[in-house]
Amino acid sequence: MSAAAPRSTWSNRWAFILVTIGSAVGLGNIWRFPYMTGAQGGSAFVLVYLLCVALVGLPLLMAEILIGRRGGGNPVSAMLKVAEENGASPWWGLLGWIGVLGALLILSFYSVVGGWVVDYMYQAGSGVAVATPEAAKQGFDALLADPLRLVFWHTVFLALTVGVVARGVISGIERASLLMMPALFAILLFLVLWGGMVGDLRAAWHFMFDFKPEQLTGQVVLSAMGHAFFSLSLGMGAVMAYGSYLDKQSSIARNSFWIALADTLVGLLAGLAIFSLTFAHGLEAGSGPGLIFQTLPLVFTHMPGGRVVGTLFFLLVLFAAWTSAISLVEPFVAWVTERLGVHRAIAAWGTGFAVWLLGVAVCLSFNDWSGWKLFGLNLFDQLDYLTSRVIMPLSGLAIALFVGWIMRQKNVRDEISLPVAPFQLWWRVLRYLTILAIVLVFVYRLLNPDP
Ligand code: TRP
């Protein structure tokens, strides 16, 4: 292992929290969470999701940061080192590989959606009016049908992302999050207040929080758990990579708690803002992945000051997506720079190019290549399905097994400096509940194989 330059550490404790919140808060919170909540009928999904964050998400977040910091390297070398230290097989290194490569797969379609966001921000800023629901749908379909436009914005988004990673951990990644995350919180609060004033906050609240047991189906539980993984950036080495730049004094438990809390709050607030506006205009909450791209432009068109609010909204989504995309590139780039000794900028742009190519295929899967399907899914849906329903839960399971059952308890204790009682609580939850929850969801899926 070429231990070339000394590794960076974040400038202070807040930096790690903000950067990791930057990874967690993304399209998952503002695009995926509201549309899934809408499509799954509302509150039951929200409540199961909250339960999954507490029982599966938070414990795993701690476990992943722990491996990263203990291993002090990119996900591949960190897994190898921690496995060796605990007398486990070097095959565990594979888990690092799965994460690093899986993250690039996610990025290839994440960047395409990031491109939609930039396109819509541009439209909102230039005052494109969307008068009727039909026009909104046509506008979205027109974007998907235009390969050049998709590829153009995908290229812009990916270049923004790679440009930050190329500048380095502190002067690129840390600085970008320190600038964007406070702006993101400010815009989000403004939008929720705005939604409360001009929208129907009460209806949004009831939709999201009134518990309706009849909505609770296996499908809801499944998608809520998958979403907890996606939203907290779990199972892909992303938080592992960020954890490897964390100094030994910081408390993993406390940091993880704040990260999980902030990520959850942003999703809930975005949901409240979006549904307030959606319901006030009598629009459908369950319109699916087009929710923020079709419903909201319509709302913005019919609202005073909508051009400014609309632009701000898509800027918010852009910041969220951008800082998340950065965390999808970093694990692999860290491996290339540390293991192959390649200059960071070259590693970043080279990785970006490979992801760009796959992303172009994703762009084409909506139009020219839409005839090419596997199990009825186009490439975009295949990649989403493979990563968030297969790779993430399986590697999350492997991480829980590794930290809960393979690592020596002394080494785990060393990293998680909690008093005995809370430590035992976390450790037991990870060893039993987290593992049981993931396995149950998997078995359920095997028995009920619809999407
Ligand atoms: N959590 C991000 C979101 O909510 C997406 C993301 C970033 C991610 N890095 C990840 C998902 C690593 C899984 C693994 O949009």
Side-chain angles (χ1 to χ4, degrees), residues 50 71 87 97 138 153 174 301 401 406:
L50 293 178
W97 270 115
Q138 276 162 16
W153 292 116
E174 180 178 308
T301 302
L401 286 171
I406 306 283

Side-chain angles (χ1 to χ4, degrees), residues 23-24 26-29 106 110 230-231 233-234 236 238 324 327-328 392:
S23 165
L27 291 169
N29 304 63
I106 299 183
Y110 203 85
F230 189 88
S231 193
S233 304
L234 295 174
M236 292 291 174
S324 297
S327 76
L328 291 166
M392 277 181 222

Side-chain angles (χ1 to χ4, degrees), residues 177-371:
S177 298
L178 257 40
L179 291 175
M180 281 191 267
M181 295 314 289
L184 179 145
F185 291 126
I187 302 176
L188 182 63
L189 281 183
F190 167 76
L191 286 173
V192 176
L193 291 177
W194 184 276
M197 280 178 342
V198 307
D200 195 344
L201 193 55
R202 189 172 295 275
W205 181 275
H206 287 303
F207 181 66
M208 286 177 64
F209 298 113
D210 283 353
F211 184 55
K212 302 184 202 72
E214 71 279 5
Q215 287 176 349
L216 204 61
T217 63
Q219 183 58 37
V220 165
V221 177
L222 251 176
S223 32
M225 189 173 93
H227 186 69
F229 272 96
F230 189 88
S231 193
L232 285 172
S233 304
L234 295 174
M236 292 291 174
V239 287
M240 215 184 270
Y242 282 3
S244 73
Y245 306 116
L246 182 63
D247 65 279
K248 290 284 179 204
Q249 278 73 43
S250 294
S251 155
I252 291 182
R254 201 180 313 131
N255 285 336
S256 303
F257 175 79
W258 287 113
I259 294 161
L261 186 72
D263 182 64
T264 310
L265 278 180
V266 171
L268 295 177
L269 287 176
L272 282 176
I274 290 169
F275 290 125
S276 293
L277 295 172
T278 308
F279 291 143
H281 289 260
L283 295 166
E284 266 297 312
S287 58
L291 181 66
I292 69 165
F293 296 108
Q294 298 179 29
T295 311
L296 291 183
L298 195 63
V299 172
F300 297 139
T301 302
H302 294 286
M303 162 171 122
R307 183 157 163 186
V308 176
V309 178
T311 312
L312 272 183
F313 175 80
F314 284 109
L315 186 68
L316 162 82
V317 190
L318 173 63
F319 284 169
W322 190 352
T323 49
S324 297
I326 289 170
S327 76
L328 291 166
V329 192
E330 174 59 21
F332 187 71
V333 169
W335 180 82
V336 176
T337 48
E338 286 166 15
R339 180 69 219 220
L340 307 179
V342 176
H343 191 280
R344 174 170 271 271
I346 299 175
W349 288 105
T351 308
F353 182 65
V355 172
W356 181 80
L357 282 180
L358 187 55
V360 169
V362 172
C363 291
L364 293 174
S365 76
F366 291 108
N367 38 68
D368 294 356
W369 295 355
S370 60

Side-chain angles (χ1 to χ4, degrees), residues 19-20 30 104 121 159 234 244 257 300 325 341 378 385 402:
V19 169
T20 312
I30 307 176
L104 296 183
M121 186 172 83
L234 295 174
S244 73
F257 175 79
F300 297 139
N378 66 13
Y385 194 95
F402 183 76

